[in-house]
Structures are given as structure tokens and as C-alpha cells.
Amino acid sequence: MDPRRILLAISGGIAAYKAPELLRALRKAGHDVRCALTPEAERFVSPLVLQSLSGRSVRRNLFDAGEEGEIDHIGLADWAELVLVAPATANLLAKMAHGLADDLVSTVLLATRAPVLVAPAMNVNMWSHPATATNAAILRSRGVSFVGPDAGELACGWEGLGRMSEPARIAEAVAACLTSKSLAGERVLVTAGGTAEAIDSVRTITNRSSGKMGFAIAAEAARRGAEVVLVAGISTQPTPFGVRRIDVGSALAMREAVLAEFEAAGIVIKAAAVADFRPAAPADRKLKKEDLPESGRLTLELVQNPDILAEICLRKGDRIVVGFAAESHDVVGAAQRKLARKGCDLIVANDISRRDAGFEVDQNAVVFVWPDQQVEELPLLDKSGVAAQLLDRVEKLRTRR
Ligand code: CTP
């Protein structure tokens, strides 16, 4: 993502202690960040820490001659390409909803034309109070975006909705706000991760797929404004911001979920590593060693799983369907044959023999293989970079559709 100018506005809640971590995440993503604090925020977070991490002076006061000489409050409001309020207290949300401007942060929020993202943090009863709910609804209706609050243990001792989202989550929401909504109105179905095929009630056959590639695609599609459904096999990855996730275990369960979601989807991207075979007769309880034949060998009979990608390609209509190919040799040739056999619009081929790309790692080196035999080889990229390149291609197909 291109570096952007972000104003991080911090109001006075205990969650303000996470602001430095959030600031670091935004700086790591390459953004230029300035901080503005309410007077109460200073009690929870040191301006000196924020100044050191942002490399920018921190604004605290309205009409302070020294601070205004640096950049005046209207200049600050105009400078920002995004204003992120984290944490946003109930008081600040109320001021924003009603147009109050009695300190630097609320004044900048009234003056800015930039998109605004808020990460509320407060006691559960304050969040659920009709006054706060109405204020949040007013802000949403004006286009203010929200991330959180999340449920959990609150600093005040209560449990429930009110925790500020984790900094990594807020950084994801920032990326979503800053990405152009080129897939708005589109429904994207993504599959990711490996499947697990039951041998008995506790054991499975699975593979080394981490799901990272498919999750990165789902995250990027959501950033671009699509409604995203992620059918996830075995994966420990966190659900990307704004994505609806359906967890499945086996290939058969994945097929069922994909077929249920397929009708409503305009774009289908099948990054999952689906097991090709499953045990023919999984035991419904744990197999015991004493049940084994005397030879000490256990023979499992495997039957073939349905090919979900091939099946949906048969009834794809004008949907765009992208398949993946995991190959250890003759990568392009094998992917071309796979594309012809399954009938998808594009195959993303991975060389799984490489150690620096593919399974488990954060980077991938892929080749796009097209039906007209064209081949595009991409350099080694972060999986989010591969996802962006892939969705750029899908968007081109979409305009031709
Ligand atoms: N796929 C699928 N259902 C299966 C097997 C694979 O939908 N039962 C999909 C994968 O999600 C991927 C593509 O087909 O998009 C290719 O998967 P891959 O494992 O590379 O190929 P296979 O079709 O399984 O063929 P082979 O194992 O012989 O390489």
C-alpha cells in the first residue's frame, strides 16, 4: 500500500496505553503519522513516547502559540488523508455526533474532510447505553467507519463489549479504509487452508497448507470493498477484517459449503489445498493398537474426493473462477493441463519445491497461467502482494465480463 498521512487522535481511556503499539504498526506499514491528544489522553500515554515513535511533534492544545506555529489545527485537519481515533471514548463519540469543538481533537474532527475511522473503548454499559448507540448510528450514517469494540474483560472489571480492538486489527481496518473500493458490490468466495480427512474419531490425514495465501486474498478483496465469504479448512490464521468465515474440516464439508455459497458469488478463488483422497471407512471411535492385525501394519483404503473446482467450473456461468495449482515439477506445463482439464479462467501456479515460497511461509512466487497459454511469472512477493496482483487481474477480467 502507498504510504499515507494519518492523524492518530487519542482520547482519554485506559486503552490509550496501546496507542504506541498502534502507531508502530502504522509506521511499519510505511505511513506518515502525526498524533493529537485530548487533555485526558495525556494521563494514559506519554506524548514523548508518541513523538519518538512518530518522528513528529505531538499536538495537544488548541491555540497554543508554540504548537500552532508547527502546524495549525486547520492545517492538521487538511493534512490528514485519514483520521484514526483510537481509543474513542463515549464522550468523544458524543462530541463528534453533535459537532462540538471544544478542544484540539474535537475541533480537528469537525474541520477535516478526510475519512474518519474510530476504535471505541469504554465500559460495556456505556457502549450499550441508548445515548452512545444513537451517537454511533449518527456517525455511521455520516460515513464514519468503526473497528470494534470487541468483547472481553474490561479494565473496569466488567466483561462484555467495550474493549478497544487490538492494534493489529485496527491497522487492518486502516488499510481497508485507505484502499479504493474497486470491488464494491461484488461477492467474492475464497477457499483457503488444507482439509483434514478422518481416519478415526481423533486422527486425520491432512497437508502442510497454512491457509495464509487464501486468507491474504480474502483480506485484500474485503479491503477493496467486496462482500467476502471465506470457506476455511484447517488453518490457525485470524479471520481478516470484514470477512465472513465458514470453518470446515473435510473436503466433503468444504464442497458442501462452497456449493451453498457459490450461487450468490460473482468471483470464486479456490486457494484451498483440498485432499484428493479420504479414508473409505473412517472408524467412529479411536482405533486401538490392540485392534491391529498381528503383522503390525495398518492398511487404509482411500477413495477419491470430488474435485470441487472442476464441479463449479461446469456451472460457472459468467462468474470468474480462479484455481490454484501446487506443483513440484514442470510447474507451468502441469498448471496448463490443470486449467484445460478444470476449465477455470485463470490458474495461479505455485512451485512447492521452493523453500522460500509457498507452503507455511509468508511469501510466495507464483505464475499466472491463462487459457490462451499466456504465462506471467511474478517475483517473490509477500502473500498480500500476490493477493493484490491476483485481484488486479481478476478486476480486468471483470470489466471484460
Ligand atoms: N481442488 C478442488 N478439489 C479437489 C482438489 C483440488 O477444488 N478435490 C482445487 C484446489 O482448490 C486448487 C485446484 O483444484 O484450486 C488444484 O489443486 P491441486 O491440489 O494443485 O491439484 P489437483 O486437482 O488435486 O491435482 P494433482 O493433485 O494431481 O496435482
Side-chain angles (χ1 to χ4, degrees):
M1 165 167 300
D2 295 338
R4 300 293 185 84
R5 297 184 304 272
I6 298 174
L7 175 65
L8 172 57
I10 305 169
S11 58
I14 179 72
Y17 83 91
K18 291 185 186 166
E21 198 185 331
L22 175 57
L23 172 53
R24 282 192 62 203
L26 297 173
R27 295 281 294 142
K28 212 171 148 199
H31 302 303
D32 185 0
V33 187
R34 287 178 185 263
C35 296
L37 275 74
T38 65
E40 294 76 23
E42 263 186 73
R43 297 168 181 241
F44 297 99
V45 62
S46 145
L48 189 60
V49 170
L50 299 169
Q51 182 177 312
S52 310
L53 292 175
S54 65
R56 295 279 204 169
S57 61
V58 171
R59 286 294 319 255
R60 292 175 279 179
N61 299 303
L62 201 54
F63 308 129
D64 177 291
E67 290 187 15
E68 293 273 301
E70 184 81 27
I71 178 169
D72 70 60
H73 62 278
I74 299 298
L76 193 58
D78 293 342
W79 171 87
E81 290 176 276
L82 175 81
V83 181
L84 166 63
V85 189
T89 59
N91 183 49
L92 186 57
L93 293 179
K95 290 209 273 185
M96 290 169 71
H98 298 282
L100 298 187
D102 61 354
D103 61 13
L104 174 78
V105 166
S106 53
T107 304
V108 167
L109 281 162
L110 197 59
T112 191
R113 290 294 173 93
V116 176
L117 171 67
V118 296
M122 66 197 71
N123 162 270
V124 57
N125 292 337
M126 291 170 79
W127 175 248
S128 61
H129 193 287
T132 307
T134 305
N135 291 336
I138 290 172
L139 293 173
R140 282 199 180 93
S141 73
R142 288 188 202 138
V144 171
S145 304
F146 279 67
V147 50
D150 294 344
E153 212 176 283
L154 305 177
C156 54
W158 281 73
E159 284 241 0
L161 271 184
R163 275 175 75 87
M164 187 174 84
S165 296
E166 288 306 316
R169 190 74 171 170
I170 299 175
E172 276 187 65
V174 165
C177 283
L178 292 173
T179 306
S180 87
K181 302 295 172 237
S182 46
L183 283 175
E186 190 65 78
R187 178 88 164 255
V188 180
L189 169 60
V190 182
T191 69
T195 63
E197 310 300 323
I199 297 171
D200 63 16
S201 61
V202 292
R203 301 180 179 95
T204 60
I205 299 176
T206 186
N207 58 57
R208 286 173 44 211
S209 168
S210 63
K212 285 179 179 171
M213 190 62 246
F215 276 62
I217 294 166
E220 179 65 18
R223 280 195 285 274
R224 294 181 184 209
E227 195 182 320
V228 184
V229 183
L230 173 63
V231 176
I234 308 304
S235 175
T236 55
Q237 296 298 302
T239 310
F241 180 72
V243 166
R244 177 160 67 88
R245 173 178 183 163
I246 301 170
D247 283 304
V248 295
S250 64
L252 291 181
M254 182 168 279
R255 173 178 176 272
E256 207 173 297
V258 167
L259 293 183
E261 296 294 335
F262 173 72
E263 287 302 327
I267 296 168
V268 184
I269 303 179
K270 292 219 68 257
V274 186
D276 292 324
F277 295 92
R278 68 179 184 278
D284 55 9
R285 58 195 180 112
K286 188 183 173 198
L287 289 175
K288 302 291 290 175
K289 281 197 284 296
E290 62 242 36
D291 300 334
L292 281 181
E294 287 210 339
S295 65
R297 291 171 181 226
L298 174 66
T299 305
L300 284 176
E301 192 190 348
L302 302 177
V303 291
Q304 203 167 343
N305 273 325
D307 188 319
I308 310 166
L309 177 59
E311 192 174 342
I312 61 173
C313 281
L314 285 178
R315 42 174 150 141
K316 78 193 245 319
D318 64 358
R319 290 178 190 81
I320 297 165
V321 179
V322 178
F324 271 66
E327 310 295 346
S328 56
H329 53 279
D330 182 22
V331 176
V332 170
Q336 282 171 330
R337 289 190 291 280
K338 217 167 256 183
L339 183 139
R341 197 169 65 240
K342 303 202 187 200
C344 37
D345 297 294
L346 168 64
I347 283 254
V348 182
N350 288 284
D351 180 350
I352 53 169
S353 65
R354 283 177 70 143
R355 287 181 152 266
D356 58 349
F359 277 145
E360 291 160 339
V361 297
D362 291 329
Q363 295 188 310
N364 213 356
V366 302
V367 183
F368 293 145
V369 176
W370 296 91
D372 63 1
Q373 304 287 312
Q374 252 199 70
V375 167
E376 276 183 85
E377 198 171 332
L378 265 62
L380 187 65
L381 292 170
D382 273 358
K383 286 183 175 171
S384 57
V386 174
Q389 292 284 335
L390 172 59
L391 288 177
D392 285 350
R393 306 305 188 279
V394 168
E395 284 184 20
K396 278 200 191 123
L397 286 175
R398 193 174 164 238
T399 52
R400 273 186 243 144
R401 183 168 64 183

